[in-house]
Amino acid sequence: MEIVGYRWKAPSNDVVSTLPLYRSAPPLEVRLEDFELFAMDRLRVLKGISDGLSRGKKPEEMEKLVTDLWRTNMRHPLASEVVNKDIISHFVLRLVYCRTEELRKWFLSMETSLFRNRFKLESSDAQRALMAEFDLPYKTVSTSEYESIKDKLGQVARSICPSLPTADAIFYKVPFDEVPELVAGRRVFIQKGYAYVAMNQVVSLVVTQFRSLLSKALVLTNRKWTSTIREEEKDRLAPIVEVLCMSYLGPDYSQPKEFAEISIKDIDRVAKSSFPLCMRHLFEKLRDDHHLKHGGRMQLGLFLKGVGLKLDDALEFWRAEFSQKVGAERFDKEYAYNIRHNYGREGKRIDYTPYSCQKVIALTPGVGDHHGCPYRHFSEENLRAALGKMGLASRAVEDVMDKVRNRHYQLACTLTFEAVHGASCDTGINHPNQYFSDSQQILQSKNNPSK
């Protein structure tokens, strides 16, 4: 890989930090494939953070999670290029997520959380160097002032941790409205409009500055994207940018893996035990109405292909249902081609991939449609009824509904999976076929405990 024209410079006091502030896009030359791959690696980190926050992980748990996510996804074969990958991936995703208010809000929140946890891992010297990079107008509290309030500082310290500030402890005197999270959490001493922020609390101060700078930068990036970049790069970067935020980052489920095949005689049983709610709903509607519109046929058909329903069995399965509504002759004339097409046997012979959760959630079903994500599109009454039918207890239903109200649809599905199977799913549900695969694995281990 060749990237020229920019290298991260350490702060002027020679203290080395690996945490850039992303003030301006560097003049890098980046290969198009790296442009996308670096962004996807960082997106895995941000989505992992999002899942951790949605699950209510504690601060110390988040620190470990972020460390593990960063170590796993942001490596580079050349150690000298790790920081460049960090910078490139940030600015690519800034371009991707600047385009709507909802995207900006999510990116701002996740990048801020990432910055917070990475800042905490820096040494005290590196933290002070980063503070200097922000050019913050705060001075350390003098010895005489510290002596006059040290008892008050000690009372605050005792309320949040067992250790007390030492004589050489460093405090910053800051306008209280610049550390709102410390004030809200009653974790700082305030006097005459100023908060006395300990060195181990400066992350709150720096994060506020980082968030403010990034928020303004996203608005400016959106203006540039709308006015010039989108048109100038319509044939090269724009297609990548416009789909990156919807990219599925997990395993390929175009072909069945652990569970090689399901047969028609097994399909009703596994639908009840191992289909996620979206596919279970489509399957039941097909059984009841003997018909699905195109969106439903695509979503369910590709899912069934991914779990191991062979083409001949798929044709037989769909024909048996549709012929009850439209007749066998019309089925062969109007519907069989699309089934063969999904299996790569017609048209361009593309091996089509089952829909990921992100794609399912993004679908907008119309009147008479049954595809899409039930957690997003069902009414509360219908969703509660569907969850009860899957065997969820009332407490589990309330937990799922809480996630739905906060628009954490994949986490709602994950909680459903955990309630149905009585097992945790730490990775979260990111694909309907993952739900099926994980479910079958759990059920097989319960039926064959010695294996």
Side-chain angles (χ1 to χ4, degrees):
M1 182 182 80
E2 182 181 12
I3 298 180
V4 298
Y6 180 86
R7 287 293 182 274
W8 172 245
K9 295 180 180 179
S12 58
N13 61 0
D14 294 329
V15 175
V16 177
S17 169
T18 58
L19 182 55
L21 300 182
Y22 316 107
R23 286 186 177 276
S24 59
L28 293 173
E29 293 180 9
V30 186
R31 295 189 308 181
L32 200 58
E33 55 266 36
D34 290 336
F35 180 92
E36 185 172 6
L37 289 174
F38 288 0
M40 291 181 71
D41 282 345
R42 192 183 195 91
L43 195 51
R44 289 185 176 93
V45 175
L46 298 186
K47 291 194 172 181
I49 292 172
S50 178
D51 184 62
L53 292 172
S54 299
R55 284 174 168 269
K57 286 186 178 291
K58 297 176 181 178
E60 58 272 19
E61 293 175 322
M62 286 301 301
E63 285 184 34
K64 183 181 185 306
L65 175 65
V66 171
T67 300
D68 292 343
L69 287 167
W70 191 265
R71 184 183 298 120
T72 301
N73 296 290
M74 294 301 290
R75 294 174 295 183
H76 192 281
L78 300 175
S80 60
E81 297 295 346
V82 170
V83 175
N84 276 339
K85 179 178 179 179
D86 177 6
I87 296 168
I88 292 165
S89 62
H90 171 88
F91 279 98
V92 174
L93 289 187
R94 186 185 289 192
L95 197 61
V96 171
Y97 282 87
C98 76
R99 295 173 299 124
T100 69
E101 184 176 355
E102 185 175 2
L103 290 176
R104 288 193 294 273
K105 183 178 179 181
W106 184 86
F107 181 71
L108 180 63
S109 179
M110 295 310 109
E111 279 286 339
T112 300
S113 183
L114 173 60
F115 182 86
R116 174 194 303 280
N117 285 281
R118 291 181 68 195
F119 182 87
K120 287 180 179 179
L121 295 175
E122 296 285 326
S123 67
S124 295
D125 287 342
Q127 288 180 348
R128 283 193 287 270
L130 285 165
M131 290 180 68
E133 285 286 297
F134 278 114
D135 196 25
L136 300 177
Y138 310 128
K139 295 181 179 180
T140 57
V141 175
S142 66
T143 303
S144 59
E145 187 172 7
Y146 170 77
E147 288 296 326
S148 69
I149 59 173
K150 68 177 182 180
D151 291 340
K152 299 288 187 182
L153 296 175
Q155 290 176 22
V156 174
R158 276 191 294 271
S159 70
I160 57 178
C161 69
S163 60
L164 294 176
T166 59
D168 58 351
I170 297 174
F171 284 81
Y172 291 88
K173 190 175 179 179
V174 177
F176 79 95
D177 58 350
E178 296 193 18
V179 283
E181 64 177 32
L182 293 180
V183 175
R186 297 177 182 270
R187 292 182 287 124
V188 67
F189 173 60
I190 300 175
Q191 181 174 270
K192 297 181 180 179
Y194 286 93
Y196 289 79
V197 181
M199 187 62 211
N200 62 2
Q201 295 176 311
V202 295
V203 61
S204 178
L205 184 61
V206 175
V207 162
T208 299
Q209 298 296 322
F210 176 81
R211 185 183 182 92
S212 176
L213 290 173
L214 181 56
S215 179
K216 294 172 183 175
L218 284 168
V219 174
L220 293 175
T221 305
N222 174 252
R223 291 175 187 170
K224 291 179 182 177
W225 169 258
T226 305
S227 62
T228 57
I229 301 175
R230 181 171 54 190
E231 180 60 27
E232 291 175 356
E233 297 288 347
K234 64 181 180 181
D235 297 322
R236 194 170 69 109
L237 297 185
I240 297 174
V241 167
E242 289 171 355
V243 301
L244 258 175
C245 65
M246 296 302 296
S247 296
Y248 168 64
L249 306 173
D252 177 17
Y253 289 100
S254 59
Q255 297 294 333
K257 291 184 174 64
E258 298 94 335
F259 312 101
E261 294 182 28
I262 61 169
S263 64
I264 294 178
K265 66 180 177 63
D266 296 326
I267 200 167
D268 285 280
R269 175 180 58 80
V270 297
K272 186 174 182 180
S273 66
S274 297
F275 280 20
L277 181 55
C278 56
M279 300 305 172
R280 182 169 171 151
H281 174 64
L282 284 168
F283 184 81
E284 291 175 350
K285 281 297 178 182
L286 176 62
R287 287 298 203 204
D288 291 342
D289 301 340
H290 310 296
H291 190 271
L292 286 174
K293 290 187 175 182
H294 178 74
R297 296 197 302 272
M298 288 294 292
Q299 184 174 318
L300 179 60
L302 289 174
F303 169 80
L304 292 174
K305 173 195 170 192
V307 301
L309 191 67
K310 299 300 183 184
L311 174 59
D312 289 344
D313 285 344
L315 286 167
E316 183 180 342
F317 167 73
W318 290 97
R319 183 183 289 110
E321 292 300 327
F322 270 57
S323 61
Q324 298 181 55
K325 191 75 170 277
V326 303
E329 183 177 348
R330 185 179 169 190
F331 172 84
D332 290 336
K333 185 180 295 185
E334 297 183 17
Y335 299 100
Y337 175 88
N338 284 335
I339 295 170
R340 293 194 298 271
H341 190 269
N342 284 349
Y343 280 77
R345 303 296 177 83
E346 298 284 359
K348 295 181 179 179
R349 302 188 181 276
I350 298 172
D351 188 16
Y352 287 93
T353 302
Y355 292 176
S356 67
C357 286
Q358 282 185 297
K359 186 164 184 176
V360 170
I361 291 169
L363 296 173
T364 306
V367 177
D369 285 327
H370 299 290
H371 60 286
C373 176
Y375 299 99
R376 180 183 178 191
H377 297 299
F378 274 21
S379 68
E380 181 172 338
E381 181 182 0
N382 287 345
L383 182 55
R384 287 180 179 275
L387 294 172
K389 191 175 180 181
M390 291 183 76
L392 269 69
S394 58
R395 176 58 189 271
V397 171
E398 293 307 319
D399 290 342
V400 171
M401 296 307 300
D402 179 63
K403 299 305 178 186
V404 169
R405 281 189 284 271
N406 288 290
R407 299 193 294 180
H408 299 310
Y409 306 119
Q410 287 174 235
L411 187 52
C413 188
T414 301
L415 293 181
T416 301
F417 178 94
E418 293 176 339
V420 168
H421 296 88
S424 63
C425 181
D426 293 336
T427 59
I429 298 298
N430 297 294
H431 200 294
N433 291 77
Q434 174 209 346
Y435 185 109
F436 175 85
S437 179
D438 289 355
S439 171
Q440 286 287 289
Q441 195 167 22
I442 290 171
L443 293 175
Q444 287 192 11
S445 66
K446 287 180 178 179
N447 293 331
N448 301 284
S450 61
K451 292 186 177 181

